[in-house]
Amino acid sequence: MIESSTTTAAAPRALSRAEGRDRTQKGTCTAVVGLQWGDEGKGKIVDLLAADHDAVVRYNGGANAGHTVVVGDQKYALHLVPSGILYPGVMAVVGNGVVVDPEKLLEEIEGLEKRGVSTERLVVSSRAHVVAPYHKLEDEVRERLLTGGGKDGSIGTTKRGIGPCYADKAQRSSAIRVGDLLRPEALREKLEIACRFKRTRLVDIEVGDSLDPAKLTERLSAVGEKLRARVMDTTYLLHDMLGEGKRVLFEGGNATLLDVDHGTYPFVTSSNCTALGISTGTGVPGRRLDRVVGIMKAYSTRVGAGPMPTELLDATGNLLRERGREYGTTTGRPRRCGWLDLVAVRYSVMVNGVTEIALMLFDVLAGFDELQVCTAYEIARADGTTERTDRFPPDAVDLERVTPIYETLPGFGEEITGARGWDDLPAKAREYVEFVEKYLGVPVSIVSVGPGRGQTLVG
Ligand code: GDP
Ligand code: IMO
Ligand code: MG
């Protein structure tokens, strides 16, 4: 059983300048965020950085995320459990901003325990919202409705119930939170209301027991009971840790261009995936962040629908997919592939306040004669003229109208998966990294040349 400290917060008082300085030196907060459309390799870098932190915290999204950590010949695909779980001394915190499918979480916990990974230090916010079985049905029905009737407007969601659960959170009256799973009577009342709402929406679909409040109460409170010892006020837990000088790492789910406010709306997920989501998703204010590590692939990928200016629907795109094994960690869907879009990434660097970059899957680019990098867009105006810009227009309708302008960089022939230091990289590969750094205006502090822990060059 894990207990959080029960101290109550002291009443605020004015600090002397020296006290203020001391206090800001206590604790360190690092964020890891994806700068593209997801699957940039966040799991690998969170695992790497977790060794130097006391807690790893998820603050957004849910089981739509699929973060891979490879240790020797063991591969772990994590969905709700933070990627710091492999370190026995590190707390793994599921923050209030996450939408938790409790059955999936339990399944993941049991899967890890079976593989000998202790999950003793995994805790969940009592205020995180619950993804119930009917949310997944709603996700499916909405996608189906959007596919029918002419133009396919579906988002290509992961069907994990993410959007419907966040919609209920905003709606309030039909929402269930993790803390509710521990109080069967109150849960039953809430489910009566939720099911009444859902029955009006889930017609023409096989619902099974998913809208039966009694059966749902039984099913969800049984899971709640198994999670009971892990459920707590994670906001106080994190502030207590920071007050003791502990180091906290925030793990972004999904990615910047899928952020509900700053992404390629409406082809986005339903949460704030950027570093901006950390404060609302955990209760730790943004000003506590000391370090924001932006994770980017050396090229672009996207799963699901929505504009992607540099997408390659040709043999080169297929080659990137095969070399990068670009198939979804959560759904197994083939990912759309294309050249690196620096216009998009520089926008993401800006909105996240990125302080350093981890350049991932760099090994995938070996063997190409030439590498294209998008450094500007040409936008077609209504009057037939065109405009060149290096600003990213996040709205899908605008982004659909852009044509990427490329610069060509020399390829590097040799495989680089064995590189262990900057000097092991061929000169042309180093040129690519320097080009990225210069364009983005932030240092590349990590270069990844393979999925393994050791296949990492740290600058
Ligand atoms: P995440 O969602 O951002 O954590 O990324 P995913 O785990 O969904 O997808 C990244 C994939 O790339 C995983 O299969 C990783 O094991 C793999 N990977 C991570 N870094 C590298 C790398 O540098 N090179 C190669 N070839 N694969 C990598
Ligand atoms: P990680 O954390 C890639 C995409 C889906 C879909 C859209 C909305 O592994 O990088 P949702 O189920 O969230 O309503 O789907 O967002 N998407 C991701 N794509 N990686 C992810 O997470 C994603 N999470 C959501 O494919 O297009
Ligand atoms: Mg992923």
Side-chain angles (χ1 to χ4, degrees):
M1 158 117 186
I2 299 148
E3 283 176 1
S4 76
S5 161
T6 50
T7 50
T8 43
R13 70 177 173 88
L15 295 179
S16 72
R17 212 172 275 156
E19 278 176 316
R21 206 169 41 236
D22 282 355
R23 191 169 285 196
T24 50
Q25 278 163 2
K26 272 192 177 173
T28 297
C29 290
T30 306
V32 166
V33 290
L35 300 183
Q36 293 151 317
W37 283 283
D39 307 324
E40 297 92 346
K42 297 177 289 293
K44 170 171 168 167
I45 298 304
V46 169
D47 169 71
L48 190 83
L49 299 178
D52 294 328
H53 288 80
D54 300 292
V56 176
V57 190
R58 276 283 305 272
Y59 59 89
N60 78 299
N64 53 352
H67 295 182
T68 315
V69 180
V70 176
V71 186
D73 61 357
Q74 294 292 308
K75 185 169 164 173
Y76 301 89
L78 301 159
H79 300 284
L80 278 159
V81 173
S83 303
I85 196 72
L86 301 180
Y87 292 92
V90 175
M91 287 294 285
V93 181
V94 178
N96 62 276
V98 175
V99 285
V100 177
D101 179 335
E103 289 173 335
K104 277 250 173 265
L105 178 62
L106 204 58
E107 202 181 295
E108 217 175 311
I109 291 170
E110 285 168 0
L112 285 165
E113 291 283 351
K114 238 181 238 155
R115 292 176 72 179
V117 177
S118 167
T119 61
E120 203 194 340
R121 285 173 164 266
L122 174 72
V123 296
V124 186
S125 167
S126 54
R127 286 184 281 131
H129 279 249
V130 169
V131 175
Y134 47 72
H135 288 131
K136 289 180 265 190
L137 291 176
E138 274 186 286
D139 204 349
E140 208 175 308
V141 167
R142 192 202 43 204
E143 284 288 276
R144 208 187 308 146
L145 282 173
L146 288 165
T147 315
K151 191 174 181 291
D152 183 352
S154 62
I155 294 170
T157 72
T158 57
K159 299 190 181 152
R160 296 296 189 270
I162 306 296
C165 183
Y166 277 117
D168 275 343
K169 174 178 176 174
Q171 190 117 285
R172 297 151 297 167
S173 33
S174 47
I176 314 283
R177 306 207 288 185
V178 169
D180 297 326
L181 302 183
L182 310 181
R183 300 180 285 266
E185 273 176 32
L187 177 65
R188 171 72 190 256
E189 276 173 33
K190 290 189 177 211
L191 282 168
E192 290 283 353
I193 297 169
C195 289
R196 209 182 313 143
F197 272 96
K198 303 300 169 188
R199 268 185 225 111
T200 64
R201 301 178 64 121
L202 291 171
V203 287
D204 300 334
I205 184 170
E206 185 52 59
V207 296
D209 291 339
S210 297
L211 294 180
D212 180 328
K215 292 213 166 105
L216 276 179
T217 306
E218 202 179 311
R219 181 170 159 187
L220 290 175
S221 42
V223 185
E225 218 32 66
K226 292 192 177 154
L227 294 174
R228 181 179 286 277
R230 303 178 188 272
V231 178
M232 63 172 65
D233 183 330
T234 53
T235 303
Y236 271 112
L237 172 80
L238 293 173
H239 280 274
D240 287 345
M241 289 185 82
L242 289 170
E244 289 162 16
K246 301 248 169 79
R247 316 221 287 173
V248 177
L249 176 63
F250 297 95
E251 174 178 7
N254 329 120
T256 303
L257 303 177
L258 294 171
D259 183 287
V260 67
D261 284 286
H262 303 285
T264 55
Y265 196 87
F267 299 101
V268 293
T269 187
S270 306
S271 68
N272 288 119
C273 325
T274 50
L276 302 165
I278 292 172
S279 41
T280 50
T282 65
V284 176
R287 73 172 177 81
R288 293 300 309 249
L289 282 183
D290 306 290
R291 188 178 173 199
V292 180
V293 185
I295 316 295
M296 63 179 280
K297 271 181 194 179
Y299 50 98
S300 306
T301 64
R302 176 165 203 166
V303 206
M308 177 182 171
T310 62
E311 181 173 15
L312 294 168
L313 298 165
D314 58 8
T316 307
N318 291 340
L319 188 56
L320 284 171
R321 185 175 307 107
E322 293 320 311
R323 282 189 59 83
R325 297 201 176 88
E326 294 293 357
Y327 296 89
T329 310
T330 300
T331 58
R333 290 178 289 177
R335 296 175 184 144
R336 299 156 65 192
C337 296
W339 294 121
L340 177 58
D341 185 342
L342 282 177
V343 177
V345 177
R346 188 158 66 185
Y347 165 79
S348 299
V349 165
M350 178 181 76
V351 294
N352 285 291
V354 165
T355 57
E356 65 194 273
I357 297 273
L359 183 71
M360 310 300 292
L361 291 106
F362 196 29
D363 52 301
V364 174
L365 292 187
F368 287 91
D369 292 336
E370 289 182 333
L371 301 167
Q372 309 283 327
V373 179
C374 169
T375 52
Y377 291 156
E378 207 158 72
I379 304 180
R381 288 208 201 95
D383 64 4
T385 58
T386 56
E387 178 197 348
R388 194 175 275 221
T389 182
D390 60 2
R391 292 193 164 208
F392 184 72
D395 285 70
V397 273
D398 298 325
L399 195 59
E400 256 150 21
R401 290 172 30 235
V402 311
T403 308
I405 309 292
Y406 290 106
E407 284 192 39
T408 304
L409 300 184
F412 45 99
E414 307 142 59
E415 292 294 342
I416 56 169
T417 48
R420 292 297 174 267
W422 181 246
D423 293 337
D424 298 336
L425 291 178
K428 300 228 161 32
R430 293 202 299 259
E431 230 173 89
Y432 191 88
V433 180
E434 280 156 7
F435 188 89
V436 169
E437 269 184 334
K438 192 159 172 232
Y439 188 96
L440 298 178
V442 231
V444 171
S445 60
I446 298 172
V447 175
S448 175
V449 295
R453 271 181 177 168
Q455 293 174 299
T456 319
L457 323 183
V458 182

